[in-house]
Amino acid sequence: MTTDVTEITVIGDDDTGLVANVTSLLFERGVNIEDLDQAVRDGVFRMYLAVDTSEMVCTEATLREDLHDVGDDLGLDVQVRFPADRETQQIAVLVTKESHCLEALFEAWANDELGADIGVVIGNHDDLQPLAEHYDVPFHDIGDEGGQQNEDELLELLGEYDVDLIVLARYMRILSPNVVFRYEDRIINVHPSLLPAFPGAEAYRQAVEEGVRVAGVTAHYVTTDLDQGPIITQRAFDVPDDADVAEMKRRGQPLEASALLEAVQLHLNGDVSVHRGRTSVRENGTQYQLGLPDEIDEFTPDRPVDGIGSAVADDS
């Protein structure tokens, strides 16, 4: 997502004085802080700063080096992303065994509809390696025999490929705060339900068991709270009386791919922003189908609504 601000992310063990050390350094170098957010989860401290470096009194290289020095002194991992760093955006796609979302991303990329490069595919199983190889994209398996991910290896790969956006294309593992905090608002997941209903595992099965008449899918930013991140796009479909989990997947998987692809395009084009846990779409966002198609309006009644009945009383 292209922005005019420099983004600084600080990760480390929670301790006193961390914020003051970083903000003091920025002040001394003429850097104006436009936004600052901090959080602690499972003992991991994260601070995100959006700063204006247009009038700073040092070079970009010096600021980056100084921040890294502070990080080394305090045991912090400091990432600095200047606007020029993001001219060519790199995507890492995380996968498990289901191919439909990865296939949609690859097709859009091959047709120049993505606006970024898929630099690497990372899996906790190697089932989708042939698909990545077909598109000549490096594939790395970071899972053990049971599919448990190696997060240290994951972070090394994300750094090696200089990743701007992480896309979870039906990746069936939860990312820890150690990963999420480093890529705040830069991880997009697709979940097979109309969140906030049916979070977690086996969402289609939950929907069948609850007897819903309408189910759907949700693409959202990933946070440290499972399936509770800001919603970007959603799709819905009818559930027949006799639908089982297999039928739910048949109806839902194409919509998963569609919603995820659209959410990725919104992010890459800079058409969506996050504020206080909610997404908002900029002017260009009108070209997207964020939810149901416009044609559904033809079948959606627009009256009665509360208050219209008062017109009858006025005529009596």
Side-chain angles (χ1 to χ4, degrees), residues 9-13 15 18 21-22 25 63-79 182:
T9 305
V10 181
I11 305 291
D13 294 334
D15 200 356
L18 300 181
N21 278 278
V22 175
L25 183 150
L63 179 63
R64 192 191 301 271
E65 182 178 353
D66 289 346
L67 284 167
H68 286 167
D69 287 343
V70 168
D72 291 340
D73 291 341
L74 299 175
L76 302 171
D77 178 18
V78 181
Q79 300 177 1
R182 283 173 163 79

Side-chain angles (χ1 to χ4, degrees), residues 220-285:
H220 63 96
Y221 284 111
V222 173
T223 66
T224 54
D225 295 312
L226 179 63
D227 293 332
Q228 296 184 42
I231 291 171
I232 309 173
T233 59
Q234 293 185 300
R235 300 285 190 273
F237 60 89
D238 284 324
V239 180
D241 286 343
D242 58 352
D244 56 13
V245 174
E247 175 64 14
M248 296 284 280
K249 288 183 177 180
R250 188 191 69 78
R251 290 175 176 243
Q253 285 182 345
L255 298 181
E256 293 172 22
S258 171
L260 179 63
L261 176 59
E262 183 174 68
V264 168
Q265 291 170 325
L266 271 161
H267 177 95
L268 293 172
N269 292 338
D271 291 337
V272 63
S273 61
V274 180
H275 181 65
R276 294 183 177 178
R278 293 178 61 89
T279 58
S280 60
V281 180
R282 307 184 203 280
E283 293 181 4
N284 295 336

Side-chain angles (χ1 to χ4, degrees), residues 310-316:
S310 62
V312 177
D314 292 341
D315 291 339
S316 59

